[in-house]
Amino acid sequence: MDNLPQAAPLIPAFQLAAFALLTASGRSFRRESVWIGGIFSLASFIVALAVLGGRLLGDADNYNGRFEWMRIGTFPIAMGYEVTNLTSLMLVIISALGLLTSVYAAGFMKQDERITVFYGYMALLQFATLGLALADNALTFYFFWIMTGIGMFLLIGFRYSDPQVKSAALQAFMAARLGDAALLAAMALLFFYMPGHSLDFVTIQNVFQNGGEAVPPGAANAAALLLALAAVAAAAQFPLFAWLPGAERTPLPAYALIQGVTVSAAGVYLLVRMQPLMAASPAAMAALYTIGGITALLGALIAAVQRDIRRILAYSTVSQTGYMLVALGMEAETACIFHLLTHALFKPLLLFAAGNVMQAANSTDLYALGKIGRRMPATAWIFGIGALAMAGIPPFAGFWSRDAIASVAMDSSVPLFMALAGAGFFTALYMTRLFLVMFAGFGQELPDEERSAPAVPAAPATSKTRVPPSQAGGSAAARENRLPAGLMLPPAALALLSVPAGLLETPWSGRLGTWLSGVYEAPHGGVNAMIVMAAASALGIYLGWMIYVKGTVRLRREELASRAPWAVPSLERGLYLEKAGRTLFLGTLITLGRLLLRCEDKTASAAGMAAAQAIGSSGRLLHRLLQTKGPVYGFLAVIAFIMLAAALAGRRFW
Amino acid sequence: MVGAWPVLTLIVVLPLLGAAVVLLLPKTMSRWQQPVGMAAAFPPLLLAGWIYGNFSAVPGTMLREQAVWLQLSFRRDVFSTAPSWSLELQYHLAVDGLSLPLLLVASVVAAAAALASIYIKKRQRMFYGSFLLLESGLMGALLARDLLLFFVFLEITAAAMFLLVGIWGSTDRERSARRYLLANGTGSALLLVGFALLIAAAGLSGGQTGQGPLLTLSGSYDVIAANLSAFGPAPADALAWPGGLQPLLLTKPLQWTIFLLVAAGFALRMPLFPFHRWSIEAHEQAPTPAAMLLSGALLQVGGYGLLRYGVLLFPEQSGKAGAALAAIGVVQLFYGALLSLAQRDLRRLIAYASLSQTGFVLLGIASLNEVGLQGAVFQLVAQGLIVALMLFIAGSLQERTGTAQLSELGGLARPLPFTSGILLAAALALAGTPGLAGFTGRLLPLLGMFGVMKGWAAAAAAGVIVSGVCIVRGVLTVSFGPVAEKNAALRDARFIEAVPMIALLALVVLLGIYPSTLSDVMRQAFAVLFEH
């Protein structure tokens, strides 16, 4: 029991081993790859559970291990890991989700001829995310943080032959680089200002909990703001959220893993580890809760008009991560981690269940599915549980965790609380819409040709092995009992967990916070917040019912379009922010590059011409001199040389 | 056993022997030209590996091979009290913590480039002759410890590269070869003047012979380094030498002149912004092996020269020029990346991306602290391996598709999954992915910079975005998206192409995961600088 924490590095190491094995085998071993990925994920999960179990059973000492990565002069740069209650919880969440996605992908990606590559990339992403959770210092964290970005980039670009996938991958890469630059600058600042160049989280926490005098306030402020920027880029927050919904063509199991844990681990967990530093900078905290509040509201609003199921859920992730950022800005880490945990349960659940539906109906368009709920009742039930959890209906998990955030917000700022309540309202509204339209077939619109054409699992690379797609809108062939158990088990397991998980921490007990921080934490109380949030959710569901079932409130998508023609297209494209990143940022850079290139071409040809002319004319001059007065100049040159030599040789006689 | 052999001399001479063998092969054995030429490129790699295996970071134990090459004595008559003096040209090779990493990368890249020469079809005899001559010059330049010897080796590389670009290059080869020669010739001229002044001002060493004291004027690096550090911050009285034989007084302005001449000479060769144009054209036109050596070894020699003959000899001047160097570094970082985004040709794109990455080397040098300088060397090594790998892949794609135009490539991941995978990995490495070598090469210079110049460091951190995006965007253009009809049936890498690709990538991974393999060797390289 005592050496359990020492086994913690095994958890990411298993994934690294899986990645190495799968990458080495290229595209062969298609069937075996599923087992390799699955077994290594299972191993990680078991060890993570054991580590968590050890901590729950009272092994309360934090464990810390490190090794020297490289040495500069006399100064060592170390990589290290740390096992605390928080990290062990994160490890379990990540590895559990990794295991579930591995199981789900076995069924979902069966037809793909690059399934080996897929499992390799998944192992890489899990390795990076697990390493992130274990990191004990900022450098190690940074190492895994960038690797997480690369893993996401690879998975987003998995179906490479699609031009849209190509630009989505590039967009994700750009967002990751932006965060990378910010985090790098923040880390370098800390490296130089922290006493003893120490970058480990414990020292950073100690320094800033004691008032942070050791670090100049300007540097601390700058570092905190840079960290906030990195988190905003990684967690897909306003105005940098576009890359996540833009990546809708990522293979669905990978999308579930990314939305479930990676985004929040990279964006939110970063700030949790750096909390004391963040708290030392009021500006950074204000930026966090402002951006979080805006994103929560905006994401929910945008999600309400999307018609691609994957994009609805992606915007919902954006919105929910906004809640977590608000919690961080309010110094409520417990609530943040709690929401991270519950969101990691119900978001993958929703994506898995939706994936089953989309695969059965061979379309990702919300309006092209028909009354599929009748043919897939179990999936509808599972999805319903997830939807209720997400919409924040008690007693499901999402209610408790969101309430924890809302009650803190209520105490400190009314506009912020209003934004959160509004976000809750829209969340309930779009979840109702999603459920009613998708499963019950209410509020049908004409299928969008563009969206219903490319079917979910149809990677172009698989065209040879693909099963012939069922006919358009043609859920006729779709039957739930044809789905393999591997596709049903993961969402069902998550649905089962969605109810009790909410009771980890209730308004009346601060058990999770106490356990996480090791210090007694008072329950957050707040009946008012609870009532308002539950009422907002209920109102959202009621309005959804009125719009989509009764039709008494005329606010359907197409009806909205006739009243405010600007609203739907602008919201559907994420306030045009999706394109803005590419056109504004990359476009400017390319234009600038072309301009500079033209200047360079001009200068270079001018310089080349001048040099050529200079050489040519001097050559001609010499030629002419030698031709006409050759002997004279030759003689002069010899004389000059002799004089020079004599001058040098006779120097000491002068 | 092996230790008794003149290993360093062998590194320089064996490629030359190989060149001689290739050139002297009888006509009837012409099919042996290629295997012999390729094989002759490998001994430096093996010997450099041997040195690495036996290297100890303790100063004073380094390998050294020394002989007097040429001595001109000017003896005074016996009645005079003035000492005799002589002009000495030394043959002096040595290896230390600064040259060894670069020696390793140059020999690795040379071996990989030799394998890349399978694409060369015409005039193979002459090609391998020039190629091996170039390799020998490279190794010699990295090992030489005498200024004039270094210069001779440097000129050998320039001449050989001129031939390689001018004869085996693509359509516009002659013009770009001329430009190459022009730029390098100018650089050499500056360097020669700088070196001549340096020898005249600081190359004097004293000794005793039977007939009285003997003064020797030589280009020995050790003598010059010792003299410069003895003159230190304030130039001592050169007339302290009996008879006042010092040809030139080492004054402050003279130090600055020499430093600027040397720095400018290497800046033209490395190349630094704004003298990079010849390098871009050479990358585009040169045959694949030559292009690999250009970015994977010659650039490193330039950086090595800047470090050894600029920074280590003139730390004070380097410190004052630090801000200017940092400015050039940041400008180059952005400029290279922006222009790389605007390219239509894959090889030019890689060349500009490489230019952009060289910005990190300059930043590391500019920081002038241990972290930054080690980072600069690390970046030189990482960049050499990665860019050579990318140019090799570009060459193999060009061999298959017949073009390097980005508009005609695209979607190549489908027909060429292996090659595209390696290309993507290389691009990610260049963009600074952790676990691959580029990460350390980028991290250390920036950490070093933040200690001394915050503003430039912040600008450079922003440069991380563009410098990463430009190369990954280029690679996505090549391998992602729909594949063109005519490229759909291409065959993936052959075994002889896969070997260097995997070997280079393996080294990139090794350095990324465990940078200590290199940083332990480098540790003593700059110790001299920080003792004072």
Side-chain angles (χ1 to χ4, degrees):
Chain A
M1 196 61 97
D2 286 346
N3 17 2
L4 262 181
Q6 291 168 24
L10 276 179
I11 303 169
F14 281 135
Q15 297 303 322
L16 184 61
F19 171 65
L21 264 176
L22 290 166
T23 308
S25 52
R27 286 186 180 189
S28 39
F29 306 117
R30 284 185 50 214
R31 196 166 305 156
E32 290 79 358
S33 70
V34 175
W35 287 104
I36 295 175
I39 285 171
F40 276 104
S41 290
L42 183 66
S44 290
F45 178 60
I46 289 173
V47 178
L49 262 191
V51 170
L52 180 71
R55 303 212 54 96
L56 283 173
L57 296 176
D59 180 9
D61 286 338
N62 291 346
Y63 183 82
N64 189 297
R66 62 178 53 178
F67 66 94
E68 187 181 303
W69 188 51
M70 69 182 294
R71 176 177 281 275
I72 299 171
T74 52
F75 180 73
I77 290 185
M79 294 293 233
Y81 67 96
E82 185 180 33
V83 182
T84 63
N85 285 349
L86 175 63
T87 54
S88 58
L89 179 65
M90 285 298 290
L91 288 175
V92 169
I93 298 175
I94 298 164
S95 58
L97 210 54
L99 178 61
L100 289 178
T101 40
S102 299
V103 173
Y104 187 78
F108 196 86
M109 304 287 289
K110 203 159 68 185
Q111 310 292 346
D112 203 310
E113 66 174 358
R114 289 169 68 228
I115 189 170
T116 315
V117 181
F118 177 76
Y119 270 99
Y121 289 170
M122 288 289 275
L124 179 68
L125 183 60
Q126 286 178 59
F127 166 66
T129 319
L130 289 166
L132 196 71
L134 265 177
D136 85 322
N137 65 46
L139 183 79
T140 315
F141 192 93
Y142 176 68
F143 187 95
F144 285 109
W145 198 80
I146 309 181
M147 200 180 267
T148 313
I150 299 298
M152 286 198 276
F153 162 75
L154 291 173
L155 283 166
I156 289 172
F158 183 72
R159 287 178 177 146
Y160 53 76
S161 41
D162 185 342
Q164 200 182 332
V165 165
K166 181 172 127 188
S167 69
L170 187 61
Q171 197 158 20
F173 187 80
M174 287 194 300
R177 288 285 72 72
L178 180 62
D180 171 4
L183 188 53
L184 176 60
M187 198 179 64
L189 276 177
L190 286 177
F191 179 76
F192 274 96
Y193 285 110
M194 282 291 292
H197 290 323
S198 83
L199 281 174
D200 59 309
F201 289 129
V202 176
T203 317
I204 292 176
Q205 279 158 14
N206 287 341
V207 164
F208 285 97
Q209 264 159 1
N210 299 332
E213 282 92 1
V215 178
N221 221 344
L225 282 169
L226 285 167
L227 284 175
L229 175 61
V232 164
Q237 296 293 293
F238 177 82
L240 302 172
F241 56 64
W243 64 268
L244 186 61
E248 79 229 31
R249 305 207 172 173
T250 311
L252 195 105
Y255 213 25
L257 185 64
I258 290 173
Q259 292 192 25
V261 287
T262 313
V263 163
S264 45
V268 176
Y269 183 70
L270 160 72
L271 300 181
V272 174
R273 296 311 304 260
M274 292 283 195
Q275 179 64 26
L277 166 64
M278 301 301 292
S281 159
M285 296 298 265
L288 278 186
Y289 64 70
T290 315
I291 290 177
I294 293 176
T295 315
L297 186 59
L298 203 61
L301 194 60
I302 296 174
V305 299
Q306 300 294 321
R307 61 181 300 165
D308 185 314
I309 299 168
R310 297 165 301 182
R311 288 169 60 86
I312 297 177
L313 291 173
Y315 271 111
S316 135
T317 300
V318 169
S319 158
Q320 297 294 314
T321 316
Y323 276 102
M324 298 178 209
L325 240 60
V326 170
L328 282 171
M330 299 281 164
E331 295 192 48
E333 302 104 272
T334 309
C336 172
I337 291 291
F338 187 28
H339 197 56
L340 191 158
L341 168 69
T342 58
H343 182 254
L345 291 176
F346 58 68
K347 183 50 58 66
L349 181 170
L350 291 170
L351 276 161
F352 288 153
N356 286 347
V357 172
M358 292 187 284
Q359 200 178 30
N362 204 19
S363 169
T364 64
D365 185 8
L366 182 55
Y367 293 107
L369 300 180
K371 298 182 176 172
I372 207 162
R374 218 175 282 162
R375 286 186 299 276
M376 308 180 79
T379 308
W381 272 104
I382 290 171
F383 191 91
I385 292 177
L388 288 176
M390 168 99 115
I393 297 299
F396 295 102
F399 169 73
W400 304 107
S401 56
R402 219 173 53 188
D403 168 62
I405 298 172
S407 70
V408 183
M410 193 179 205
D411 294 341
S412 52
S413 149
V414 176
L416 187 63
F417 178 71
M418 298 299 286
L420 291 190
F425 168 76
F426 281 113
T427 305
L429 179 64
Y430 71 71
M431 285 319 295
T432 314
R433 168 176 178 251
L434 188 54
F435 186 79
L436 289 177
V437 178
M438 189 158 86
F439 288 102
F442 289 110
Q444 287 292 347
E445 275 184 33
L446 286 178
D448 183 340
E449 289 300 322
E450 182 205 346
R451 287 217 185 281
S452 52
V456 198
T462 68
S463 51
K464 277 178 248 162
T465 49
R466 184 170 27 145
V467 230
S470 44
Q471 295 310 306
S475 16
R479 282 283 184 281
E480 192 162 53
N481 50 22
R482 293 197 188 159
L483 288 179
L487 292 178
M488 291 304 291
L489 220 57
L494 289 170
L496 272 184
L497 284 172
S498 281
V499 185
L503 302 176
L504 280 177
E505 166 141 328
T506 57
W508 308 283
S509 104
R511 138 177 47 156
L512 181 65
T514 309
W515 182 72
L516 280 180
S517 59
V519 190
Y520 174 73
E521 215 168 87
H524 55 80
V527 180
N528 293 346
M530 206 165 17
I531 293 170
V532 176
M533 289 305 281
S537 298
L539 201 63
I541 293 178
Y542 178 69
L543 186 67
W545 178 266
M546 299 298 276
I547 296 174
Y548 295 102
V549 180
K550 294 269 182 192
T552 41
V553 180
R554 304 187 59 79
L555 274 177
R556 280 188 200 163
R557 203 166 162 281
E558 74 277 12
E559 292 156 356
L560 203 63
S562 62
R563 272 189 222 176
W566 50 268
V568 172
S570 71
L571 281 178
E572 188 163 32
R573 292 184 174 75
L575 293 179
Y576 301 112
L577 279 171
E578 292 181 16
K579 279 263 158 57
R582 252 198 325 278
T583 41
L584 274 183
F585 180 70
L586 197 58
T588 315
L589 290 184
I590 293 175
T591 317
L592 203 59
R594 294 221 171 105
L595 211 69
L596 285 173
L597 182 63
R598 202 166 304 157
C599 294
E600 190 186 292
D601 282 342
K602 284 237 172 71
T603 345
S605 61
M609 203 89 83
Q613 259 169 9
I615 291 172
S617 54
S618 63
R620 270 194 299 279
L621 187 69
L622 198 66
H623 186 70
R624 217 166 42 222
L625 288 177
L626 287 180
Q627 247 182 356
T628 52
K629 298 178 182 163
V632 181
Y633 281 92
F635 181 67
L636 279 183
V638 171
I639 295 286
F641 179 75
I642 290 172
M643 277 170 66
L644 201 66
L648 277 177
R651 192 173 170 278
R652 73 188 104 114
F653 298 108
W654 305 345
Chain B
M1 207 176 75
V2 187
W5 297 1
V7 182
L8 303 179
T9 307
L10 284 179
I11 289 184
V12 179
V13 169
L14 284 180
L16 278 183
L17 271 182
V21 171
V22 172
L23 291 175
L24 294 178
L25 270 183
K27 273 250 159 53
T28 50
M29 294 173 71
S30 60
R31 66 196 174 90
W32 285 96
Q33 284 164 2
Q34 196 163 34
V36 171
M38 280 189 191
F42 278 83
L45 173 60
L46 299 178
L47 292 170
W50 181 83
I51 295 176
Y52 174 76
N54 291 308
F55 190 76
S56 80
V58 186
T61 55
M62 66 180 179
L63 279 175
R64 186 186 289 281
E65 281 152 30
Q66 197 169 1
V68 173
W69 190 12
L70 182 72
Q71 193 169 30
L72 295 172
S73 306
F74 299 89
R75 283 186 192 281
R76 291 296 311 266
D77 52 283
V78 283
F79 303 108
S80 163
T81 53
S84 311
W85 65 290
S86 68
L87 184 65
E88 193 174 281
L89 298 186
Q90 284 186 356
Y91 172 81
H92 185 176
L93 302 181
V95 67
D96 67 355
L98 173 59
S99 40
L100 182 54
L102 298 169
L103 186 72
L104 283 168
V105 67
S107 57
V108 168
V109 170
L115 292 182
S117 67
I118 49 164
Y119 304 131
I120 303 294
K121 300 287 188 295
K122 74 168 183 181
R123 299 175 72 180
Q124 284 184 342
R125 182 191 298 268
M126 183 70 184
F127 176 83
Y128 285 108
S130 319
F131 180 83
L132 292 169
L133 186 67
L134 175 58
E135 186 180 4
S136 166
L138 276 171
M139 301 296 146
L142 287 170
L143 291 174
R145 279 311 176 88
D146 184 275
L147 265 62
L148 292 176
L149 189 65
F150 173 80
F151 188 77
V152 169
F153 280 126
L154 211 56
E155 288 313 293
I156 290 179
T157 64
M161 183 57 90
F162 172 69
L163 290 179
L164 286 175
V165 176
I167 301 178
W168 291 272
S170 42
T171 49
D172 204 12
R173 53 181 174 262
E174 272 134 20
R175 200 170 70 113
S176 62
R178 269 204 308 278
R179 285 206 170 165
Y180 172 84
L181 203 62
L182 186 62
N184 275 269
T186 318
S188 297
L190 295 175
L191 214 54
L192 189 59
V193 175
F195 277 180
L197 289 174
L198 191 55
I199 292 172
L204 209 57
S205 61
Q208 283 290 338
T209 59
Q211 287 123 2
L214 171 75
L215 292 180
T216 311
L217 191 61
S218 77
S220 163
Y221 178 81
D222 297 336
V223 168
I224 289 174
N227 279 343
L228 282 175
S229 64
F231 288 124
D237 185 6
L239 294 174
W241 292 107
L245 277 170
Q246 187 84 346
L248 273 175
L249 210 56
L250 192 68
T251 54
K252 261 283 147 60
L254 184 64
Q255 282 188 14
W256 268 105
T257 315
I258 299 174
F259 172 71
L260 289 177
L261 282 170
V262 170
F266 285 117
L268 262 163
R269 283 180 160 271
M270 214 172 144
L272 301 192
F273 178 84
F275 307 117
H276 58 274
R277 183 68 183 203
W278 63 267
S279 154
I280 307 291
E281 282 172 13
H283 272 95
E284 186 189 3
Q285 300 293 333
T288 305
M292 288 169 73
L293 283 180
L294 206 55
S295 248
L298 273 175
L299 169 86
Q300 280 64 20
V301 171
Y304 166 80
L306 193 58
L307 281 167
R308 165 132 3 247
Y309 299 100
V311 174
L312 285 180
L313 287 184
F314 299 97
E316 190 198 345
Q317 282 76 8
S318 315
K320 283 186 181 148
L325 208 57
I328 298 179
V330 170
V331 168
Q332 184 161 345
L333 190 60
F334 278 97
Y335 187 85
L338 287 176
L339 265 83
S340 154
L341 278 173
Q343 296 305 315
R344 298 207 173 89
D345 180 286
L346 178 60
R347 293 173 78 157
R348 288 176 74 100
L349 187 149
I350 297 174
Y352 274 110
S354 165
L355 179 76
S356 169
Q357 291 291 320
T358 313
F360 288 120
V361 177
L362 297 184
L363 289 171
I365 296 178
S367 72
L368 212 66
N369 51 34
E370 221 160 0
V371 181
L373 286 173
Q374 282 207 20
V377 179
F378 209 98
Q379 171 70 6
L380 277 175
V381 171
Q383 195 189 341
L385 294 174
I386 300 167
V387 176
L389 175 57
M390 298 190 81
L391 286 167
F392 181 35
I393 294 175
S396 81
L397 293 182
Q398 209 174 353
E399 194 64 21
R400 283 172 172 69
T401 60
T403 178
Q405 289 294 307
L406 289 172
S407 54
E408 294 180 41
L409 301 173
L412 291 183
R414 182 91 78 80
L416 311 170
F418 175 80
T419 313
S420 303
I422 303 257
L423 181 62
L424 184 61
L428 290 177
L430 203 63
T433 302
L436 300 172
F439 177 71
T440 323
R442 185 188 78 177
L443 179 72
L444 296 185
L446 284 177
L447 281 185
M449 277 302 280
F450 265 98
V452 282
M453 285 172 260
K454 300 243 159 27
W456 288 119
V464 166
I465 306 173
V466 268
S467 73
V469 167
C470 75
I471 190 68
V472 168
R473 177 175 173 269
V475 168
L476 291 191
T477 312
V478 171
S479 52
F480 278 42
V483 63
E485 197 69 33
K486 67 177 176 96
N487 292 339
L490 294 177
R491 302 289 298 272
D492 212 339
R494 286 189 280 159
F495 178 70
I496 196 161
E497 298 172 297
V499 167
M501 286 183 197
I502 290 182
L504 286 174
L505 188 63
L507 284 174
V508 169
V509 172
L510 175 69
L511 290 182
I513 293 176
Y514 201 58
S516 295
T517 42
L518 210 56
S519 64
D520 282 353
V521 173
M522 293 186 312
R523 212 181 305 160
Q524 51 99 301
F526 302 106
V528 191
L529 205 57
F530 297 102
E531 274 167 12
H532 314 296

